[in-house]
Amino acid sequence: MMAQIINNILLLKNIRKLMFRKMKCEWKVINVLSKLPRLEVLKLHADLGKKWEVPENVKFCHLICLKISNRNLKHWEVGADNFPKLERLFLNGCIELREIPNSFAEIPTLNLIQLEMCLHSAVMSAKQIEAEQHDYGNENMVVIEKYTIKLEDYPDEDEEWMMQSYSKDRL
């Protein structure tokens, strides 16, 4: 059924903004949305699985804003060429994502990474991307963090239990 919905969406060639809410499918379905020639804003508030791998041939050519709210996302494999015009990246409640792929440092248009209720290690990777962007001359790049999860504050606790408990309390 989800494949049929995506196929219908792909018929909307002029669509610029798209949001999925409370949807359950796989990340590879999201990759198909790269075929939308004018897509500028993509908001994903959905259960899409633990790993998002964006192949080299998948390019979100006009995407300038990407918002992901997915507490299950744990691994993200992406290259700078997959999002060549991205300006803003928002991650909300990605409580299992340990780092943002370093390839985001190579996107010259990137101006903002905002993390809310994400792991401290993900925030640190965003700050590393910010430093690299500044080294490349992009002084406009900033990282904003809100309600960072610091698992090191709970050294005696089981990490998986902490994640489950945190997600129930906060999300």
Side-chain angles (χ1 to χ4, degrees):
M1 182 173 164
M2 195 62 214
Q4 183 61 42
I5 292 170
I6 295 297
N7 285 335
N8 289 337
I9 290 171
L10 292 177
L11 296 173
L12 305 171
K13 299 292 183 190
N14 290 321
I15 195 162
R16 292 179 180 245
K17 297 179 181 180
L18 189 58
M19 177 172 57
F20 289 101
R21 202 176 259 295
K22 296 185 180 182
M23 175 185 78
K24 186 170 184 165
C25 70
E26 296 179 11
W27 283 104
K28 65 182 177 180
V29 173
I30 300 304
N31 289 342
V32 174
L33 297 175
S34 68
K35 294 178 182 178
L36 291 168
R38 291 185 171 84
L39 186 64
E40 294 177 353
V41 178
L42 180 58
K43 297 180 181 181
L44 304 169
H45 305 275
D47 181 4
L48 300 163
K50 291 192 176 289
K51 184 176 182 179
W52 188 12
E53 185 176 352
V54 186
E56 279 184 41
N57 64 333
V58 172
K59 293 187 183 358
F60 290 84
C61 293
H62 295 285
L63 196 69
I64 58 173
C65 180
L66 176 61
K67 182 173 184 177
I68 301 172
S69 297
N70 181 329
R71 68 178 187 209
N72 296 326
L73 180 61
K74 191 171 188 173
H75 301 288
W76 193 4
E77 295 177 20
V78 64
D81 292 339
N82 298 120
F83 300 103
K85 293 187 179 180
L86 192 69
E87 295 176 10
R88 297 178 303 277
L89 173 64
F90 298 90
L91 300 174
N92 187 340
C94 297
I95 61 173
E96 290 195 42
L97 185 65
R98 295 196 177 276
E99 66 180 1
I100 298 169
N102 195 47
S103 57
F104 280 93
E106 299 169 22
I107 302 174
T109 55
L110 190 63
N111 289 322
L112 170 70
I113 299 176
Q114 181 173 311
L115 303 99
E116 186 170 338
M117 290 189 294
C118 293
L119 291 175
H120 177 71
S121 60
V123 171
M124 295 312 295
S125 70
K127 289 185 178 188
Q128 178 63 38
I129 290 168
E130 177 185 38
E132 289 183 42
Q133 284 276 343
H134 289 180
D135 289 346
Y136 293 144
N138 182 2
E139 294 296 325
N140 295 324
M141 171 62 197
V142 296
V143 171
I144 298 173
E145 61 175 299
K146 297 178 181 179
Y147 312 115
T148 301
I149 302 169
K150 295 183 179 180
L151 292 178
E152 57 270 16
D153 290 345
Y154 306 95
D156 296 333
E157 299 294 340
D158 175 36
E159 184 174 314
E160 186 173 325
W161 176 85
M162 286 301 298
M163 298 286 222
Q164 291 171 356
S165 176
Y166 193 87
S167 66
K168 288 177 187 172
D169 292 344
R170 300 284 183 157
L171 299 178

